[in-house]
């Protein structure tokens, strides 16, 4: 009988303690209790041998973290879940999280804010609910959107932005947005317009964390050569002379999907939707058969569409910890920030080091200097397109090229709209001379890697 009563006694004891905490103001409106932030106060309210030379200990610093500082976390996947947990437990209460994905069952082994019942729901919504329910006083605001869905006014409200993305394209777009927010007075950068960007990335047992001060330090595009170039195939080859199974998949992804709109008007290809992948696989398999190409499989199709990157939970945890530490250092000014790139590798043993990535003088994103494009007049527009996509310093995804000819703005090639792509495709096989382009001609290039149009100056060589 005594054994049967023991669990009941424990339950009543827990209820009494919980009720006492509430009555005594244990959580209150702010969710605080005595001693809750003692671990943070040790960093903010006393000096130390590793503090920033200009740091002045203050009891007001904690108040800024708790009540004022607004953080934007981009991504709620493997890295994003770790970031949200770390930031909330470090005292940041005003956090917004943006993620465009929904939860798949394959996410559950490492994205610990999600449960089987959450499969199919937006990652941002579930992650925000979990953190808000688990950590008293925290107010995470979810956004089930693409980062491109928001304008400048949305991003201006944040003190710091931290990225936990698996896409270089999204990183570059975010980098471009923060650069576009910079303001200059008499050619001098206004420090108040700078929004620090803390970027983390992982791939298998490798990872990196970096601190970017737009307009001051190396940006994402300054060090683009550090990233492996994306695999791109010439559009002429994809459309007219496919030789590889990947060519067939890319044809369906880039041309047939937007033309056929198999799941309704305006419905984009979702790499996480099995029905979408199956449709692409079937069409690619049919195209491969027409050209006697073998090797088109469902797995290959998914890999090409999603650009799959392996993920390891422990690597995410280490990189998220590094990024969260940098956010804390930036928000509190208590310690010197990372300068400015950290590399982590535990493929064989444990290896980590830091270095200063240098700003590139002619960076296409942050230098504000038009880059030169050197080609002979006999070069075809296809060669220019390949240069923009394959050059290690540019690595554009689907560049749209326009130029001013005879006083009119003319689209030379645009890939993302099926009808315009079909109309401008013949230009790819024309020479620059045949297109009417001259030496010193300015080319405006738009791409999904940046919210801004990038200007190039054409230099015709003999």
């Amino acid at each position: 009988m005594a054994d049967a009563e023991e669990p009941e006694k424990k339950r009543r004891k827990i209820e009494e303690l919980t009720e006492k905490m509430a009555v005594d103001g244990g959580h209150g409106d702010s969710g605080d209790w005595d001693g809750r932030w003692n671990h943070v106060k040790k960093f903010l309210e006393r000096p130390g041998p590793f503090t920033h030379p200009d740091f002045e200990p203050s009891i007001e610093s904690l108040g800024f973290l708790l009540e004022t500082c607004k953080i934007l976390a981009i991504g709620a996947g493997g890295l994003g879940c770790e970031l949200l947990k770390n930031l909330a437990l470090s005292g940041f209460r005003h956090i917004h999280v943006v993620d465009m994905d929904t939860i798949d069952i394959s996410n559950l082994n490492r994205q610990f804010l999600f449960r089987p019942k959450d499969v199919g729901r937006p990652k941002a919504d579930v992650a925000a609910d979990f953190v808000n329910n688990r950590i008293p006083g925290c107010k995470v605001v979810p956004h089930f959107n693409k980062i491109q869905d928001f304008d400048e006014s949305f991003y201006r409200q944040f003190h710091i932005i931290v990225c936990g993305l698996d896409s270089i394209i999204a990183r570059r777009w975010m980098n471009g947005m923060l650069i576009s927010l910079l303001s200059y007075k008499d050619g001098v950068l206004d420090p108040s317009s700078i929004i620090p960007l803390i970027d983390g990335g992982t791939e298998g047992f490798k990872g990196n964390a970096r601190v970017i001060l737009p307009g001051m330090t190396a940006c994402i595009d300054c060090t683009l050569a550090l990233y492996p170039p994306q695999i791109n195939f010439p559009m002429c080859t994809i459309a007219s002379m496919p030789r590889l199974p990947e060519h067939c998949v890319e044809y369906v992804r880039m041309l047939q999907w937007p033309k056929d709109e198999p799941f309704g008007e305006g419905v984009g290809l979702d790499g996480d939707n099995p029905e979408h992948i199956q449709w692409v696989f079937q069409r690619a398999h049919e195209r491969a058969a027409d050209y006697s190409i073998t090797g088109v499989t469902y797995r290959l199709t998914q890999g090409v569409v999603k650009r799959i990157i392996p993920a390891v939970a422990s690597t995410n945890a280490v990189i998220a910890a590094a990024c969260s530490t940098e956010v804390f250092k930036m928000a509190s000014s208590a310690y010197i920030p990372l300068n400015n790139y950290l590399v982590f590798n535990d493929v064989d043993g444990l290896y980590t080091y830091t270095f200063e990535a240098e700003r590139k003088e002619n960076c296409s994103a942050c230098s504000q200097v038009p880059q030169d494009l050197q080609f002979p007049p006999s070069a075809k527009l296809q060669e220019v397109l390949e240069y923009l996509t394959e050059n290690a310093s540019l690595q554009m995804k689907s560049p749209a090229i326009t130029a001013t000819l005879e006083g009119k703005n003319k689209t030379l090639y645009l890939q993302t709209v099926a009808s315009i792509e079909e109309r401008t495709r013949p230009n790819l096989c024309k020479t620059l001379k045949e297109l009417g382009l001259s030496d010193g001609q300015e080319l405006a290039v738009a791409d999904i890697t940046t919210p801004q149009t990038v200007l190039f100056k054409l230099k015709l060589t003999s």
Side-chain angles (χ1 to χ4, degrees), residues 357-399:
E358 296 184 1
R359 191 175 179 190
K360 191 177 177 182
E361 291 184 2
N362 64 338
C363 172
S364 60
C366 70
S367 68
Q368 299 181 317
V369 177
Q371 291 198 52
D372 290 342
L373 287 176
Q374 295 189 355
F375 286 94
S378 59
K380 296 180 179 180
L381 187 63
Q382 175 73 55
E383 295 176 50
V384 177
L385 194 75
E386 290 173 1
Y387 176 82
L388 295 174
T389 56
E390 296 174 5
N391 182 274
S393 298
L394 297 173
Q395 294 190 40
M396 292 187 172
K397 180 68 175 175
S398 51

mmCIF file of all heavy atoms in Angstrom, residues 357-399:
data_model
loop_
_atom_site.group_PDB
_atom_site.id
_atom_site.type_symbol
_atom_site.label_atom_id
_atom_site.label_comp_id
_atom_site.label_asym_id
_atom_site.label_seq_id
_atom_site.Cartn_x
_atom_site.Cartn_y
_atom_site.Cartn_z
ATOM 1 N N ALA A 357 39.364 36.689 -42.731
ATOM 2 C CA ALA A 357 39.043 36.753 -44.156
ATOM 3 C C ALA A 357 39.131 38.207 -44.596
ATOM 4 O O ALA A 357 38.549 39.096 -43.958
ATOM 5 C CB ALA A 357 37.643 36.197 -44.411
ATOM 6 N N GLU A 358 39.869 38.472 -45.654
ATOM 7 C CA GLU A 358 40.104 39.842 -46.085
ATOM 8 C C GLU A 358 39.031 40.318 -47.054
ATOM 9 O O GLU A 358 38.537 39.552 -47.881
ATOM 10 C CB GLU A 358 41.482 39.958 -46.736
ATOM 11 C CG GLU A 358 42.626 39.673 -45.771
ATOM 12 C CD GLU A 358 43.975 39.895 -46.416
ATOM 13 O OE1 GLU A 358 44.013 40.294 -47.604
ATOM 14 O OE2 GLU A 358 44.997 39.679 -45.742
ATOM 15 N N ARG A 359 38.719 41.574 -46.925
ATOM 16 C CA ARG A 359 37.727 42.174 -47.814
ATOM 17 C C ARG A 359 38.296 42.311 -49.216
ATOM 18 O O ARG A 359 39.457 42.676 -49.407
ATOM 19 C CB ARG A 359 37.322 43.548 -47.268
ATOM 20 C CG ARG A 359 36.105 44.121 -47.966
ATOM 21 C CD ARG A 359 35.674 45.421 -47.327
ATOM 22 N NE ARG A 359 34.518 45.978 -48.013
ATOM 23 C CZ ARG A 359 34.041 47.189 -47.806
ATOM 24 N NH1 ARG A 359 34.621 47.968 -46.909
ATOM 25 N NH2 ARG A 359 32.990 47.616 -48.469
ATOM 26 N N LYS A 360 37.471 42.004 -50.208
ATOM 27 C CA LYS A 360 37.899 42.044 -51.600
ATOM 28 C C LYS A 360 37.601 43.417 -52.190
ATOM 29 O O LYS A 360 36.469 43.889 -52.132
ATOM 30 C CB LYS A 360 37.160 40.949 -52.379
ATOM 31 C CG LYS A 360 37.678 40.699 -53.763
ATOM 32 C CD LYS A 360 36.903 39.536 -54.391
ATOM 33 C CE LYS A 360 37.334 39.285 -55.810
ATOM 34 N NZ LYS A 360 36.542 38.196 -56.429
ATOM 35 N N GLU A 361 38.629 44.038 -52.755
ATOM 36 C CA GLU A 361 38.483 45.413 -53.232
ATOM 37 C C GLU A 361 37.450 45.551 -54.344
ATOM 38 O O GLU A 361 36.756 46.565 -54.427
ATOM 39 C CB GLU A 361 39.839 45.949 -53.708
ATOM 40 C CG GLU A 361 40.836 46.168 -52.572
ATOM 41 C CD GLU A 361 42.125 46.798 -53.066
ATOM 42 O OE1 GLU A 361 42.206 47.083 -54.284
ATOM 43 O OE2 GLU A 361 43.034 47.000 -52.255
ATOM 44 N N ASN A 362 37.359 44.555 -55.198
ATOM 45 C CA ASN A 362 36.412 44.640 -56.320
ATOM 46 C C ASN A 362 35.262 43.649 -56.153
ATOM 47 O O ASN A 362 34.732 43.129 -57.142
ATOM 48 C CB ASN A 362 37.126 44.407 -57.651
ATOM 49 C CG ASN A 362 37.699 42.998 -57.743
ATOM 50 O OD1 ASN A 362 37.931 42.343 -56.734
ATOM 51 N ND2 ASN A 362 37.939 42.542 -58.967
ATOM 52 N N CYS A 363 34.854 43.399 -54.909
ATOM 53 C CA CYS A 363 33.744 42.482 -54.650
ATOM 54 C C CYS A 363 32.477 42.977 -55.351
ATOM 55 O O CYS A 363 32.122 44.150 -55.253
ATOM 56 C CB CYS A 363 33.502 42.365 -53.143
ATOM 57 S SG CYS A 363 32.020 41.431 -52.707
ATOM 58 N N SER A 364 31.806 42.073 -56.033
ATOM 59 C CA SER A 364 30.602 42.456 -56.790
ATOM 60 C C SER A 364 29.465 42.870 -55.869
ATOM 61 O O SER A 364 28.531 43.565 -56.291
ATOM 62 C CB SER A 364 30.148 41.286 -57.670
ATOM 63 O OG SER A 364 29.838 40.146 -56.879
ATOM 64 N N ALA A 365 29.514 42.461 -54.586
ATOM 65 C CA ALA A 365 28.426 42.777 -53.660
ATOM 66 C C ALA A 365 28.678 44.032 -52.846
ATOM 67 O O ALA A 365 27.791 44.872 -52.702
ATOM 68 C CB ALA A 365 28.191 41.597 -52.709
ATOM 69 N N CYS A 366 29.881 44.191 -52.279
ATOM 70 C CA CYS A 366 30.084 45.267 -51.300
ATOM 71 C C CYS A 366 31.063 46.357 -51.715
ATOM 72 O O CYS A 366 31.226 47.342 -51.000
ATOM 73 C CB CYS A 366 30.524 44.678 -49.955
ATOM 74 S SG CYS A 366 32.188 43.975 -49.941
ATOM 75 N N SER A 367 31.732 46.213 -52.882
ATOM 76 C CA SER A 367 32.743 47.214 -53.246
ATOM 77 C C SER A 367 32.145 48.433 -53.923
ATOM 78 O O SER A 367 32.784 49.483 -53.989
ATOM 79 C CB SER A 367 33.787 46.593 -54.173
ATOM 80 O OG SER A 367 33.212 46.289 -55.433
ATOM 81 N N GLN A 368 30.919 48.301 -54.457
ATOM 82 C CA GLN A 368 30.260 49.381 -55.193
ATOM 83 C C GLN A 368 31.052 49.796 -56.436
ATOM 84 O O GLN A 368 30.950 50.922 -56.909
ATOM 85 C CB GLN A 368 30.034 50.604 -54.298
ATOM 86 C CG GLN A 368 29.144 50.311 -53.100
ATOM 87 C CD GLN A 368 28.912 51.532 -52.237
ATOM 88 O OE1 GLN A 368 29.835 52.304 -51.964
ATOM 89 N NE2 GLN A 368 27.687 51.724 -51.806
ATOM 90 N N VAL A 369 31.876 48.879 -56.953
ATOM 91 C CA VAL A 369 32.666 49.133 -58.154
ATOM 92 C C VAL A 369 32.230 48.161 -59.241
ATOM 93 O O VAL A 369 32.294 46.942 -59.046
ATOM 94 C CB VAL A 369 34.180 48.937 -57.871
ATOM 95 C CG1 VAL A 369 34.987 49.125 -59.152
ATOM 96 C CG2 VAL A 369 34.640 49.901 -56.790
ATOM 97 N N PRO A 370 31.749 48.659 -60.395
ATOM 98 C CA PRO A 370 31.347 47.743 -61.482
ATOM 99 C C PRO A 370 32.529 46.898 -61.945
ATOM 100 O O PRO A 370 33.637 47.403 -62.131
ATOM 101 C CB PRO A 370 30.876 48.693 -62.588
ATOM 102 C CG PRO A 370 30.574 49.976 -61.912
ATOM 103 C CD PRO A 370 31.519 50.065 -60.750
ATOM 104 N N GLN A 371 32.297 45.607 -62.121
ATOM 105 C CA GLN A 371 33.364 44.719 -62.557
ATOM 106 C C GLN A 371 33.444 44.685 -64.081
ATOM 107 O O GLN A 371 32.441 44.881 -64.771
ATOM 108 C CB GLN A 371 33.134 43.306 -62.022
ATOM 109 C CG GLN A 371 33.298 43.205 -60.522
ATOM 110 C CD GLN A 371 33.506 41.758 -60.103
ATOM 111 O OE1 GLN A 371 34.371 41.059 -60.631
ATOM 112 N NE2 GLN A 371 32.722 41.310 -59.151
ATOM 113 N N ASP A 372 34.652 44.422 -64.561
ATOM 114 C CA ASP A 372 34.844 44.334 -66.004
ATOM 115 C C ASP A 372 34.579 42.912 -66.481
ATOM 116 O O ASP A 372 34.931 41.935 -65.805
ATOM 117 C CB ASP A 372 36.284 44.721 -66.378
ATOM 118 C CG ASP A 372 36.551 46.200 -66.171
ATOM 119 O OD1 ASP A 372 35.557 46.967 -66.080
ATOM 120 O OD2 ASP A 372 37.725 46.596 -66.073
ATOM 121 N N LEU A 373 33.959 42.816 -67.653
ATOM 122 C CA LEU A 373 33.778 41.540 -68.336
ATOM 123 C C LEU A 373 34.568 41.622 -69.634
ATOM 124 O O LEU A 373 34.223 42.406 -70.522
ATOM 125 C CB LEU A 373 32.299 41.274 -68.637
ATOM 126 C CG LEU A 373 31.392 40.893 -67.468
ATOM 127 C CD1 LEU A 373 29.952 40.768 -67.946
ATOM 128 C CD2 LEU A 373 31.838 39.578 -66.840
ATOM 129 N N GLN A 374 35.627 40.846 -69.757
ATOM 130 C CA GLN A 374 36.487 40.902 -70.931
ATOM 131 C C GLN A 374 36.196 39.722 -71.857
ATOM 132 O O GLN A 374 36.409 38.568 -71.488
ATOM 133 C CB GLN A 374 37.957 40.912 -70.520
ATOM 134 C CG GLN A 374 38.360 42.158 -69.753
ATOM 135 C CD GLN A 374 39.866 42.261 -69.544
ATOM 136 O OE1 GLN A 374 40.609 41.353 -69.901
ATOM 137 N NE2 GLN A 374 40.309 43.366 -68.977
ATOM 138 N N PHE A 375 35.724 40.061 -73.054
ATOM 139 C CA PHE A 375 35.423 39.050 -74.065
ATOM 140 C C PHE A 375 35.715 39.626 -75.445
ATOM 141 O O PHE A 375 35.575 40.833 -75.666
ATOM 142 C CB PHE A 375 33.940 38.640 -74.012
ATOM 143 C CG PHE A 375 33.583 37.773 -72.837
ATOM 144 C CD1 PHE A 375 33.092 38.337 -71.666
ATOM 145 C CD2 PHE A 375 33.747 36.395 -72.903
ATOM 146 C CE1 PHE A 375 32.765 37.549 -70.571
ATOM 147 C CE2 PHE A 375 33.409 35.591 -71.818
ATOM 148 C CZ PHE A 375 32.919 36.168 -70.654
ATOM 149 N N PRO A 376 36.092 38.774 -76.396
ATOM 150 C CA PRO A 376 36.227 39.256 -77.775
ATOM 151 C C PRO A 376 34.846 39.457 -78.397
ATOM 152 O O PRO A 376 33.865 38.843 -77.943
ATOM 153 C CB PRO A 376 36.985 38.116 -78.470
ATOM 154 C CG PRO A 376 36.638 36.895 -77.673
ATOM 155 C CD PRO A 376 36.501 37.372 -76.256
ATOM 156 N N PRO A 377 34.721 40.300 -79.407
ATOM 157 C CA PRO A 377 33.405 40.529 -80.043
ATOM 158 C C PRO A 377 32.792 39.254 -80.598
ATOM 159 O O PRO A 377 31.569 39.153 -80.747
ATOM 160 C CB PRO A 377 33.726 41.519 -81.172
ATOM 161 C CG PRO A 377 35.004 42.167 -80.760
ATOM 162 C CD PRO A 377 35.780 41.129 -80.003
ATOM 163 N N SER A 378 33.638 38.247 -80.892
ATOM 164 C CA SER A 378 33.149 36.996 -81.471
ATOM 165 C C SER A 378 32.601 36.034 -80.413
ATOM 166 O O SER A 378 32.039 34.987 -80.760
ATOM 167 C CB SER A 378 34.274 36.299 -82.238
ATOM 168 O OG SER A 378 35.377 36.028 -81.369
ATOM 169 N N ALA A 379 32.776 36.375 -79.120
ATOM 170 C CA ALA A 379 32.265 35.500 -78.054
ATOM 171 C C ALA A 379 30.743 35.483 -78.074
ATOM 172 O O ALA A 379 30.094 36.489 -78.382
ATOM 173 C CB ALA A 379 32.763 35.980 -76.691
ATOM 174 N N LYS A 380 30.168 34.347 -77.772
ATOM 175 C CA LYS A 380 28.718 34.220 -77.746
ATOM 176 C C LYS A 380 28.173 34.574 -76.361
ATOM 177 O O LYS A 380 28.877 34.493 -75.362
ATOM 178 C CB LYS A 380 28.298 32.800 -78.135
ATOM 179 C CG LYS A 380 28.682 32.432 -79.568
ATOM 180 C CD LYS A 380 28.264 31.021 -79.923
ATOM 181 C CE LYS A 380 28.645 30.682 -81.362
ATOM 182 N NZ LYS A 380 28.256 29.301 -81.740
ATOM 183 N N LEU A 381 26.909 34.949 -76.339
ATOM 184 C CA LEU A 381 26.278 35.303 -75.067
ATOM 185 C C LEU A 381 26.295 34.109 -74.105
ATOM 186 O O LEU A 381 26.387 34.283 -72.896
ATOM 187 C CB LEU A 381 24.840 35.774 -75.299
ATOM 188 C CG LEU A 381 24.107 36.326 -74.067
ATOM 189 C CD1 LEU A 381 24.800 37.585 -73.544
ATOM 190 C CD2 LEU A 381 22.653 36.627 -74.388
ATOM 191 N N GLN A 382 26.233 32.891 -74.647
ATOM 192 C CA GLN A 382 26.310 31.679 -73.827
ATOM 193 C C GLN A 382 27.609 31.658 -73.013
ATOM 194 O O GLN A 382 27.629 31.261 -71.846
ATOM 195 C CB GLN A 382 26.233 30.440 -74.717
ATOM 196 C CG GLN A 382 26.433 29.116 -73.977
ATOM 197 C CD GLN A 382 25.228 28.748 -73.117
ATOM 198 O OE1 GLN A 382 24.122 28.676 -73.623
ATOM 199 N NE2 GLN A 382 25.453 28.530 -71.839
ATOM 200 N N GLU A 383 28.711 32.131 -73.607
ATOM 201 C CA GLU A 383 29.993 32.158 -72.910
ATOM 202 C C GLU A 383 29.962 33.144 -71.750
ATOM 203 O O GLU A 383 30.545 32.896 -70.700
ATOM 204 C CB GLU A 383 31.104 32.522 -73.891
ATOM 205 C CG GLU A 383 31.325 31.495 -74.991
ATOM 206 C CD GLU A 383 32.367 31.943 -75.993
ATOM 207 O OE1 GLU A 383 33.466 32.362 -75.567
ATOM 208 O OE2 GLU A 383 32.096 31.891 -77.216
ATOM 209 N N VAL A 384 29.285 34.272 -71.940
ATOM 210 C CA VAL A 384 29.144 35.251 -70.857
ATOM 211 C C VAL A 384 28.322 34.642 -69.721
ATOM 212 O O VAL A 384 28.661 34.783 -68.540
ATOM 213 C CB VAL A 384 28.472 36.540 -71.369
ATOM 214 C CG1 VAL A 384 28.269 37.532 -70.220
ATOM 215 C CG2 VAL A 384 29.313 37.177 -72.478
ATOM 216 N N LEU A 385 27.255 33.952 -70.093
ATOM 217 C CA LEU A 385 26.398 33.314 -69.093
ATOM 218 C C LEU A 385 27.178 32.265 -68.298
ATOM 219 O O LEU A 385 27.072 32.190 -67.073
ATOM 220 C CB LEU A 385 25.196 32.668 -69.786
ATOM 221 C CG LEU A 385 24.037 32.245 -68.877
ATOM 222 C CD1 LEU A 385 23.252 33.460 -68.431
ATOM 223 C CD2 LEU A 385 23.122 31.261 -69.592
ATOM 224 N N GLU A 386 27.981 31.468 -68.995
ATOM 225 C CA GLU A 386 28.781 30.447 -68.320
ATOM 226 C C GLU A 386 29.810 31.074 -67.388
ATOM 227 O O GLU A 386 30.084 30.556 -66.304
ATOM 228 C CB GLU A 386 29.465 29.560 -69.361
ATOM 229 C CG GLU A 386 28.497 28.667 -70.122
ATOM 230 C CD GLU A 386 29.168 27.920 -71.251
ATOM 231 O OE1 GLU A 386 30.404 28.091 -71.435
ATOM 232 O OE2 GLU A 386 28.476 27.159 -71.963
ATOM 233 N N TYR A 387 30.378 32.205 -67.813
ATOM 234 C CA TYR A 387 31.345 32.896 -66.952
ATOM 235 C C TYR A 387 30.684 33.366 -65.658
ATOM 236 O O TYR A 387 31.235 33.207 -64.563
ATOM 237 C CB TYR A 387 31.938 34.093 -67.701
ATOM 238 C CG TYR A 387 32.869 34.934 -66.856
ATOM 239 C CD1 TYR A 387 34.195 34.564 -66.669
ATOM 240 C CD2 TYR A 387 32.409 36.105 -66.231
ATOM 241 C CE1 TYR A 387 35.048 35.325 -65.879
ATOM 242 C CE2 TYR A 387 33.255 36.868 -65.451
ATOM 243 C CZ TYR A 387 34.571 36.478 -65.272
ATOM 244 O OH TYR A 387 35.401 37.231 -64.487
ATOM 245 N N LEU A 388 29.486 33.924 -65.773
ATOM 246 C CA LEU A 388 28.782 34.418 -64.587
ATOM 247 C C LEU A 388 28.430 33.298 -63.617
ATOM 248 O O LEU A 388 28.394 33.501 -62.400
ATOM 249 C CB LEU A 388 27.506 35.157 -65.006
ATOM 250 C CG LEU A 388 27.693 36.449 -65.813
ATOM 251 C CD1 LEU A 388 26.338 36.970 -66.284
ATOM 252 C CD2 LEU A 388 28.415 37.508 -64.991
ATOM 253 N N THR A 389 28.157 32.119 -64.129
ATOM 254 C CA THR A 389 27.750 31.007 -63.262
ATOM 255 C C THR A 389 28.927 30.188 -62.763
ATOM 256 O O THR A 389 28.878 29.634 -61.661
ATOM 257 C CB THR A 389 26.771 30.077 -63.994
ATOM 258 O OG1 THR A 389 27.360 29.622 -65.212
ATOM 259 C CG2 THR A 389 25.476 30.802 -64.305
ATOM 260 N N GLU A 390 30.016 30.120 -63.546
ATOM 261 C CA GLU A 390 31.126 29.242 -63.194
ATOM 262 C C GLU A 390 32.292 29.957 -62.534
ATOM 263 O O GLU A 390 33.109 29.314 -61.873
ATOM 264 C CB GLU A 390 31.620 28.508 -64.447
ATOM 265 C CG GLU A 390 30.572 27.572 -65.047
ATOM 266 C CD GLU A 390 31.021 26.964 -66.364
ATOM 267 O OE1 GLU A 390 32.189 27.201 -66.748
ATOM 268 O OE2 GLU A 390 30.213 26.273 -67.008
ATOM 269 N N ASN A 391 32.410 31.255 -62.693
ATOM 270 C CA ASN A 391 33.507 31.995 -62.069
ATOM 271 C C ASN A 391 33.423 31.866 -60.555
ATOM 272 O O ASN A 391 32.376 32.079 -59.950
ATOM 273 C CB ASN A 391 33.445 33.472 -62.488
ATOM 274 C CG ASN A 391 34.593 34.273 -61.893
ATOM 275 O OD1 ASN A 391 34.513 34.751 -60.772
ATOM 276 N ND2 ASN A 391 35.653 34.429 -62.664
ATOM 277 N N ALA A 392 34.535 31.519 -59.917
ATOM 278 C CA ALA A 392 34.546 31.253 -58.477
ATOM 279 C C ALA A 392 34.152 32.469 -57.643
ATOM 280 O O ALA A 392 33.648 32.331 -56.533
ATOM 281 C CB ALA A 392 35.935 30.760 -58.053
ATOM 282 N N SER A 393 34.371 33.670 -58.190
ATOM 283 C CA SER A 393 34.058 34.884 -57.433
ATOM 284 C C SER A 393 32.635 35.379 -57.659
ATOM 285 O O SER A 393 32.197 36.309 -56.980
ATOM 286 C CB SER A 393 35.034 36.009 -57.814
ATOM 287 O OG SER A 393 36.358 35.649 -57.494
ATOM 288 N N LEU A 394 31.912 34.772 -58.597
ATOM 289 C CA LEU A 394 30.551 35.213 -58.903
ATOM 290 C C LEU A 394 29.518 34.130 -58.578
ATOM 291 O O LEU A 394 28.573 34.372 -57.842
ATOM 292 C CB LEU A 394 30.448 35.626 -60.365
ATOM 293 C CG LEU A 394 31.320 36.813 -60.799
ATOM 294 C CD1 LEU A 394 31.244 37.005 -62.301
ATOM 295 C CD2 LEU A 394 30.897 38.077 -60.068
ATOM 296 N N GLN A 395 29.704 32.955 -59.150
ATOM 297 C CA GLN A 395 28.848 31.792 -58.877
ATOM 298 C C GLN A 395 27.352 32.136 -58.882
ATOM 299 O O GLN A 395 26.613 31.834 -57.951
ATOM 300 C CB GLN A 395 29.217 31.150 -57.541
ATOM 301 C CG GLN A 395 30.589 30.530 -57.521
ATOM 302 C CD GLN A 395 30.846 29.699 -56.287
ATOM 303 O OE1 GLN A 395 29.954 28.981 -55.826
ATOM 304 N NE2 GLN A 395 32.034 29.797 -55.737
ATOM 305 N N MET A 396 26.925 32.818 -59.940
ATOM 306 C CA MET A 396 25.502 33.132 -60.045
ATOM 307 C C MET A 396 24.708 31.876 -60.370
ATOM 308 O O MET A 396 25.242 30.886 -60.870
ATOM 309 C CB MET A 396 25.273 34.224 -61.091
ATOM 310 C CG MET A 396 25.843 35.568 -60.675
ATOM 311 S SD MET A 396 25.388 36.889 -61.813
ATOM 312 C CE MET A 396 25.987 38.324 -60.908
ATOM 313 N N LYS A 397 23.429 31.930 -60.097
ATOM 314 C CA LYS A 397 22.583 30.749 -60.256
ATOM 315 C C LYS A 397 21.832 30.748 -61.584
ATOM 316 O O LYS A 397 21.915 29.819 -62.356
ATOM 317 C CB LYS A 397 21.592 30.690 -59.084
ATOM 318 C CG LYS A 397 20.651 29.508 -59.103
ATOM 319 C CD LYS A 397 21.381 28.204 -58.865
ATOM 320 C CE LYS A 397 20.400 27.058 -58.771
ATOM 321 N NZ LYS A 397 21.079 25.766 -58.646
ATOM 322 N N SER A 398 21.062 31.795 -61.822
ATOM 323 C CA SER A 398 20.293 31.899 -63.069
ATOM 324 C C SER A 398 20.257 33.369 -63.493
ATOM 325 O O SER A 398 19.227 34.031 -63.399
ATOM 326 C CB SER A 398 18.867 31.363 -62.883
ATOM 327 O OG SER A 398 18.266 31.952 -61.740
ATOM 328 N N PRO A 399 21.402 33.893 -63.935
ATOM 329 C CA PRO A 399 21.500 35.331 -64.238
ATOM 330 C C PRO A 399 20.616 35.765 -65.398
ATOM 331 O O PRO A 399 20.498 35.064 -66.405
ATOM 332 C CB PRO A 399 22.985 35.522 -64.573
ATOM 333 C CG PRO A 399 23.465 34.168 -64.969
ATOM 334 C CD PRO A 399 22.669 33.190 -64.173
#
